[in-house]
């Protein structure tokens, strides 16, 4: 495994995502009614692909590529939805720039050792992630019985300071996950791991970057709603 290999594979995955995203744009012009079905199918495919790629070294390359294909479709559709509601291309471009800035900033912090990934740091970040997932599941189930009131209070009300705070927390979590992937890449390279592991690291980076992008879109939407 090498840094160049990880970089090239990450760039390749994003190139595939962009290509399939552009294909989705052409499809949208001809039949916009397919959007919902395609979005659901792409998100489901992406979820399954991540599970397979991170648990099987032999299948990691194939399913990393499948994830990139499906996520490219989902990214474009979700971006179009947000763009149509909150300012078009400028809104999407701002989200891309902020996401890129977060990635570059976290890479700089990790490279200069201002952030050091210790075993305790890793446990805290992963534990926090499991806590977020458990909270989301609990709120989702509870919202079934209260007509969505709890979900709206925690995640849907743009005028609530709590909603804004939680949105920032989600972005911070994604940013710290990036440092875990940076550390994993460094350990693999220094320990001479097989080049097949490069796909897992590249996929992990892409998943975190995409997650941050979605959360940045949500944060910008909240701020736009509060401004209006």
């Amino acid at each position: 495994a090498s840094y160049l290999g990880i970089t090239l594979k990450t760039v390749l995955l994003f190139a595939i995502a962009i290509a399939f995203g552009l294909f989705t744009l052409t499809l949208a012009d001809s039949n916009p009614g397919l959007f919902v079905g395609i979005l659901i199918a792409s998100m489901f495919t992406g979820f399954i692909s991540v599970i397979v790629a991170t648990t099987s070294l032999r299948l990691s390359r194939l399913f990393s590529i499948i994830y990139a294909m499906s996520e490219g479709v989902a990214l474009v559709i979700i971006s179009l939805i947000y763009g149509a509601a909150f300012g078009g291309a400028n809104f999407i471009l701002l989200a891309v720039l902020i996401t890129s800035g977060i990635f570059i900033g976290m890479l700089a912090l990790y490279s200069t050792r201002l952030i050091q990934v210790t075993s305790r740091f890793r446990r805290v970040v992963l534990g926090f992630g499991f806590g977020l997932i458990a909270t989301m599941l609990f709120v989702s189930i509870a919202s079934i019985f209260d007509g969505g009131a709890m979900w709206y209070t925690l995640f849907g009300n743009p005028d609530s300071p709590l909603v804004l705070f939680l949105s920032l927390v989600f972005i911070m979590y994604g940013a710290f996950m990036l440092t875990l992937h940076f550390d994993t890449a460094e350990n693999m390279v220094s320990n001479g791991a097989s080049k097949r592991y490069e796909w897992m690291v590249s996929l992990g980076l892409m998943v975190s970057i995409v997650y941050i992008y979605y959360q940045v879109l949500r944060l910008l939407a909240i701020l736009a709603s509060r401004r209006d």
Side-chain angles (χ1 to χ4, degrees):
S2 66
Y3 293 123
L4 178 60
I6 293 171
T7 301
L8 291 177
K9 287 177 174 61
T10 305
V11 171
L12 174 62
L13 291 179
F14 274 102
I16 293 172
I18 292 172
F20 272 78
L22 294 175
F23 173 75
T24 304
L25 285 177
T26 61
L27 185 64
D29 293 335
S30 60
N31 195 345
L34 294 175
F35 259 13
V36 175
I38 293 176
L39 177 60
I40 294 174
S42 63
M43 294 182 70
F44 178 78
T45 302
F47 177 74
I48 297 299
S49 298
V50 169
I51 294 177
V52 176
T54 53
T55 55
S56 173
L57 183 61
R58 181 173 60 87
L59 298 174
S60 59
R61 176 173 60 179
L62 173 61
F63 280 88
S64 293
I65 293 173
I66 293 175
Y67 171 80
M69 294 162 56
S70 59
E71 200 58 49
V73 175
L75 278 170
V76 165
I77 295 177
I78 293 175
S79 296
L80 288 176
I81 293 173
Y82 273 98
F86 297 103
N90 290 335
F91 183 88
I92 298 172
L93 178 59
L94 180 58
V96 171
L97 291 175
I98 293 175
T99 303
S100 301
I102 292 173
F103 175 82
I104 295 172
M106 297 308 295
L107 180 59
L109 290 174
Y110 178 81
S111 300
T112 57
R113 299 303 188 230
L114 291 177
I115 291 182
Q116 297 187 22
V117 179
T118 62
S119 58
R120 176 179 294 181
F121 179 88
R122 185 178 290 272
R123 288 196 300 270
V124 169
V125 174
L126 293 177
F128 185 72
F130 284 122
L132 287 179
I133 294 173
T135 300
M136 295 285 286
L137 288 175
F138 172 77
V139 173
S140 298
I141 295 173
S143 294
I144 296 176
F145 300 98
D146 66 3
M150 182 179 292
W151 184 272
Y152 181 76
T153 299
L154 292 176
F155 306 113
N157 183 4
D159 297 322
S160 169
L162 178 60
V163 171
L164 181 60
F165 171 75
L166 288 176
S167 183
L168 292 171
V169 168
F170 290 147
I171 293 175
M172 290 176 60
Y173 167 71
F176 286 125
M177 280 299 298
L178 283 175
T179 63
L180 300 191
H181 297 307
F182 297 152
D183 186 64
T184 299
E186 183 177 6
N187 289 333
M188 285 184 178
V189 172
S190 61
N191 293 326
S194 168
K195 288 190 71 65
R196 288 189 294 179
Y197 283 100
E198 293 175 349
W199 288 104
M200 288 187 174
V201 178
S202 298
L203 176 63
L205 287 170
M206 184 177 189
V207 170
S208 292
I209 292 170
V210 168
Y211 166 83
I212 293 171
Y213 174 73
Y214 285 146
Q215 295 303 324
V216 169
L217 280 177
R218 180 171 176 270
L219 174 62
L220 292 177
I222 291 172
L223 294 175
S225 298
R226 291 165 69 92
R227 184 173 62 250
D228 295 339

